[in-house]
């Protein structure tokens, strides 16, 4: 049985418990993951032979089996549903397709003179967090403003401890110089409090207090202090003027607007914190083969806030499916009330309208770019005799200096341009390779890449399998790569070698394919420019990876390799002996004089360097 008959048969054995259901096709692929307050009632909707949208009708027709999992509450079902969607990526579900974390501003509290800095990731450090900001540039811009107004330090604790004279930040009036005693701990704490209040939206109060202090300083004939306060007031005024949208009645909210067109969707999110706009970001969710706005927004909100703290208020452009359930889900995550609303008038409606306009314009730009990209991929297929435009192109390149610090790089491109989340780097591990052996390095990279791919997805169900490989090299490289791929049983992936012409002139590239004569593309061909961009991006990625590896090796300390030596013991040893070389020459009895170094640890350190040397 399949389709309606199959679902009706499952219905006989279901009860009214909340839970999650999965619909699978004949190959066992998950088509859809859904949640329900009452599984029997929810699944009965699919058993009806008519009244479904074209999307749901197709899904029901493909359903060959179902799986069910009950939960205690519908909120638990919603959380489980989103986890399964993220893991399984079903074809008919809405997928947010974005796991990026947004940066925050952190005012640390683990030091007498707290520093202010950008923070991304888990909030493990002690301090006050303000955010999220839509981008690193938005954080950097705000930090730049805060430094000018509140003169807080941005240097690391280690740099702070070693300063003997003020740095450039103090000279250009962006730091109060606490590292060399230019400000007392109490006065610095007052600056920190002012910065916190500014980030909480109390800039008007701060400005009034600064004006009063400036007047008092002027009355007391302290003209230098009055001038410094005047400069801070001026900087604060500039900050207030540069803050784009500043809603007066909305202190904290995320504004989420959706625009759909041509089977695609764009969700625009504006972050409103402290009555200020802290930037916006656009997302392009997969719409599950034609989902409606309420379902798209519900899925997006649930997935977006799975790993992010929600604000007190969420303003939407469209009603959301199961609004009470979503609000309850977010309230449990935030451990406070989270309100969801679709404003109809006033300032909040204007905020949503602005976000909706940005969503519409962003989707228009993306659709235009996608059309151009689709045309380029069609040109690639025509130029190299592919059956259809490639959906995933992988480009490989190596980088090294006379064989040292060798790395391989892989970049990925598709219908939406460069897919940077799929870029990979490979540290060349084969110690038997002759320095500079590009063939050997390429063999190792491709062997590791496709061995893993064959292990994880032997049936090629995922989108991780490439349609085309671009290799930086000529006929020899292509022949070697084809031999490697044939050995692994992957002989049906198209590959092209990109080699510079006889004069190594950019624009006279030759393209090599297995068993065929090399070809060249017209000098003004858009496809040629596209291939050049792909090759240059792979070159940039490989060189950047190589430089990072080389820099890390140059900064490495021999003590890092000693078993049992952590950061604290390393600092103690370097402080006592002055250098790693002096540590390597020290006798065990001398090593034991360092705090934290026992007799056994001293023997370990001594034996480590003796064995190496």
């Amino acid at each position: 049985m399949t389709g309606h008959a199959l679902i009706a048969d499952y219905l006989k054995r279901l009860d009214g418990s909340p839970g999650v259901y999965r619909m699978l096709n004949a190959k066992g692929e998950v088509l859809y993951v859904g949640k329900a307050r009452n599984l029997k009632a929810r699944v009965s909707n699919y058993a009806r032979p008519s009244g479904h949208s074209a999307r749901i009708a197709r899904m029901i027709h493909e359903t060959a089996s179902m799986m069910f999992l009950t939960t205690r509450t519908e909120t638990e079902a919603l959380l489980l549903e989103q986890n399964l969607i993220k893991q399984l990526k079903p074809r008919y579900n809405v997928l947010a397709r974005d796991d990026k974390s947004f940066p925050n501003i952190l005012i640390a509290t683990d030091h007498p003179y707290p520093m202010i800095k950008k923070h991304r990731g888990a909030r493990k450090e002690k301090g006050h967090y303000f955010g999220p900001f839509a981008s690193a540039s938005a954080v950097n811009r705000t930090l730049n403003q805060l430094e000018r107004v509140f003169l807080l330090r941005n240097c690391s604790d280690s740099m702070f401890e070693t300063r003997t004279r003020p740095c450039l930040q103090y000279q250009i009036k962006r730091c109060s110089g606490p590292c060399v005693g230019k400000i007392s701990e109490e006065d610095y704490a007052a600056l920190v409090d002012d910065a916190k209040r500014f980030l909480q939206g109390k800039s008007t109060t701060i400005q009034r207090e600064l004006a009063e202090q400036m007047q008092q300083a002027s009355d007391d004939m302290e003209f230098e202090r009055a001038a410094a306060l005047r400069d801070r007031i001026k900087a604060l005024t500039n900050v207030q003027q540069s803050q784009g949208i500043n809603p007066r009645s909305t202190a904290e909210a995320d504004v989420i607007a959706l625009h759909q067109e041509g089977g695609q969707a764009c969700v625009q999110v504006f972050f409103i914190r402290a009555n200020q706009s802290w930037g916006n970001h656009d997302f392009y969710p997969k719409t599950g083969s034609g989902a409606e706005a309420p379902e798209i927004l519900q899925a997006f909100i649930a997935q977006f806030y799975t790993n992010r703290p929600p604000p007190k208020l969420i303003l939407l452009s469209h009603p959301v499916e199961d609004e009470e359930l979503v609000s309850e889900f977010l309230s449990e995550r935030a451990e406070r009330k989270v309100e969801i609303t679709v404003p109809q008038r006033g300032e909040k409606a204007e905020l949503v309208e602005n976000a909706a306009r940005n969503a519409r314009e962003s989707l228009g730009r993306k659709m235009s770019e996608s059309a151009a990209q689709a045309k380029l991929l069609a040109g690639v297929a025509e130029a190299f005799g592919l059956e259809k435009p490639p959906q995933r192109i992988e480009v490989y390149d190596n980088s090294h200096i006379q064989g040292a610090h060798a790395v391989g790089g892989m970049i990925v491109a598709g219908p939406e341009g460069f897919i940077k989340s799929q870029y990979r780097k490979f540290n060349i591990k084969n110690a038997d390779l002759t320095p500079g052996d590009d063939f050997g390095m390429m063999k190792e990279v491709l062997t590791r890449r496709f061995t893993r791919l064959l292990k994880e997805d032997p049936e090629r169900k995922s989108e991780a399998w490439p349609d085309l490989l671009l290799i930086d090299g000529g006929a020899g490289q292509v022949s070697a790569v084809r031999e490697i791929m044939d050995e692994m049983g992957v002989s049906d992936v198209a590959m092209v070698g990109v080699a510079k012409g006889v004069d190594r002139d950019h624009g006279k590239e030759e393209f090599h394919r297995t068993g065929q004569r090399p070809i060249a593309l017209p000098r003004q061909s858009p496809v040629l420019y596209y291939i050049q961009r792909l090759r240059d991006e792979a070159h940039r990625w490989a060189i950047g990876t190589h430089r990072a590896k080389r820099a890390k090796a140059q900064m490495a300390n021999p003590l890092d390799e000693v078993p049992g030596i952590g950061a604290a013991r390393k600092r103690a040893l370097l402080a006592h002996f002055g250098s790693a070389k002096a540590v390597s020459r020290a006798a065990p009895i001398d090593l034991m004089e360092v705090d934290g170094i026992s007799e056994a640890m001293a023997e370990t350190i001594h034996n480590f360097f003796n064995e190496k040397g």
Side-chain angles (χ1 to χ4, degrees), residues 172-412:
I172 62 175
K173 299 182 180 179
R174 293 201 174 186
C175 179
S176 52
C179 55
V180 290
K182 296 293 184 180
I183 186 173
S184 68
E185 189 173 331
E186 293 77 14
D187 290 342
Y188 190 86
L191 294 178
V192 171
D193 289 337
D194 285 346
K196 291 178 189 174
R197 287 193 293 160
F198 171 79
L199 290 168
Q200 292 166 354
K202 300 174 182 177
S203 56
T204 305
T205 304
I206 296 170
Q207 195 167 15
R208 185 174 61 250
E209 291 175 357
L210 289 176
E212 293 173 356
Q213 293 175 26
M214 182 182 70
Q215 184 61 49
Q216 184 62 47
S218 178
D219 294 342
D220 295 342
M221 309 291 283
E222 297 178 4
F223 298 117
E224 187 174 345
R225 181 167 178 267
L229 289 165
R230 179 203 60 203
D231 292 342
R232 289 180 60 193
I233 293 171
K234 185 178 180 180
L236 186 56
T237 302
N238 290 336
V239 170
Q240 293 169 330
Q241 290 175 348
S242 66
Q243 294 284 348
I245 304 169
N246 290 326
R248 289 170 293 178
S249 62
T250 307
E252 178 184 331
D254 282 352
V255 185
I256 301 177
L258 167 70
H259 182 75
Q260 292 178 271
E261 186 177 337
Q264 299 185 51
C266 175
V267 177
Q268 191 79 210
V269 182
F270 276 77
F271 302 102
I272 306 296
R273 299 293 186 273
N275 295 97
Q276 302 169 11
S277 174
W278 283 359
N280 63 297
H281 194 85
D282 48 5
F283 301 87
Y284 301 93
K286 285 186 177 179
T287 58
S289 301
E292 298 297 326
E295 183 180 351
I296 294 174
L297 278 178
Q298 187 222 50
F300 176 81
I301 290 171
Q303 293 174 43
F304 185 73
Y305 293 111
T306 296
N307 299 312
R308 301 180 178 99
K312 297 176 181 177
L313 176 65
I314 298 176
L315 303 176
L316 300 179
S317 60
H318 299 75
V320 64
E321 216 175 64
D322 300 324
E323 181 179 313
E324 291 185 7
L325 172 63
V326 175
S327 178
E328 181 184 345
F329 167 71
L330 297 179
S331 298
E332 284 190 10
R333 286 195 49 76
E335 298 181 348
R336 53 174 166 73
K337 176 67 175 176
V338 175
E339 181 184 356
I340 297 176
T341 184
V342 183
Q344 301 300 317
R345 61 181 66 85
E347 185 183 63
K348 292 182 174 64
E350 292 176 4
L351 291 172
V352 172
E353 183 181 349
N354 179 61
R357 184 180 67 255
N358 278 270
R360 182 174 64 252
E361 293 172 354
S362 296
L363 184 58
R365 287 192 296 269
K366 184 172 179 62
M367 291 176 69
S368 176
E369 292 168 2
S370 297
Q373 187 75 6
K375 190 174 181 180
L376 284 172
L377 293 176
V380 169
E382 182 180 355
F384 300 130
L386 306 180
E387 293 181 1
K388 59 181 182 179
Q391 298 301 296
R392 182 184 175 98
I393 301 175
E394 294 184 357
V395 192
Y396 293 86
D397 195 11
N398 300 322
S399 184
H400 60 89
I401 294 179
Q402 297 180 341
H405 312 303
V407 295
M410 177 190 84
I411 67 141
V412 182

Side-chain angles (χ1 to χ4, degrees), residues 163-171 175-182:
R163 293 298 304 184
T164 57
R165 59 180 180 175
C167 66
L168 182 62
Q169 286 288 94
Y170 176 81
Q171 305 294 342
C175 179
S176 52
C179 55
V180 290
K182 296 293 184 180

Side-chain angles (χ1 to χ4, degrees), residues 33 63 87 90 92 119 125 177 207 273 335 337 339 357 377 393 421 490 521 551 557-558 598:
V33 176
T63 300
Q87 176 186 347
Y92 288 97
H119 177 87
E125 294 185 53
Q207 195 167 15
R273 299 293 186 273
E335 298 181 348
K337 176 67 175 176
E339 181 184 356
R357 184 180 67 255
L377 293 176
I393 301 175
S421 62
V490 185
L521 296 175
N557 190 307
S598 64

